[in-house]
Amino acid sequence: VQLQASGGGLVQAGGSLRLSCAVSGRTFSSSVMAWFRQAPGKEREFVAAISRSGGSIYYADVVKGRFTISRDNAKNTTYLQMNSLKPEDTAVYYCAADLFLSSNYYLSRAYNYWGQGTKVTVSS
């Protein structure tokens, strides 16, 4: 399974970005997808997760109401729409995948497959 994240960049506070994660090497529709992020000097943290069908979606409290995770199974791609960005959203964003939506969906160890990361910088 290969995951390729893209869409990061530099944006001003209050702006928006949409990240994409293209999956190859397995049937995308059978994969649970998630986004994590890691800021400089900090541990990797959960951002959002979406079930295979998209029927179950979870967000970290710090992004709830600002970020939206979605998936297009026809394009083997998951997205993270980020609105009202804040400087504290600055981080490298990673997409992750696994077969099962674990009850520990917010932990990085719940996912076996990871993309390379895309950097998001929010200026004040």
Side-chain angles (χ1 to χ4, degrees), residues 38-50:
Q38 188 166 17
K42 295 187 177 181
E43 294 187 353
R44 190 170 298 189
E45 66 174 358
F46 170 75
V47 175
I50 186 168

Side-chain angles (χ1 to χ4, degrees), residues 17-63:
L17 281 175
R18 189 177 80 156
L19 306 183
S20 300
C21 179
V23 179
S24 60
R26 72 167 298 117
T27 303
F28 174 73
S29 60
S30 65
S31 299
V32 172
M33 301 298 301
W35 289 94
F36 285 74
R37 67 186 184 185
Q38 188 166 17
K42 295 187 177 181
E43 294 187 353
R44 190 170 298 189
E45 66 174 358
F46 170 75
V47 175
I50 186 168
S51 63
R52 301 172 191 176
S53 67
S56 295
I57 291 176
Y58 304 92
Y59 294 101
D61 287 343
V62 294
V63 306

Side-chain angles (χ1 to χ4, degrees), residues 38-85:
Q38 188 166 17
K42 295 187 177 181
E43 294 187 353
R44 190 170 298 189
E45 66 174 358
F46 170 75
V47 175
I50 186 168
S51 63
R52 301 172 191 176
S53 67
S56 295
I57 291 176
Y58 304 92
Y59 294 101
D61 287 343
V62 294
V63 306
K64 201 172 293 183
R66 300 188 298 122
F67 290 10
T68 302
I69 189 172
S70 62
R71 64 189 299 157
D72 185 338
N73 287 348
K75 295 183 178 180
N76 290 354
T77 301
T78 190
Y79 304 98
L80 185 68
Q81 178 66 44
M82 305 186 296
N83 298 330
S84 302
L85 283 162

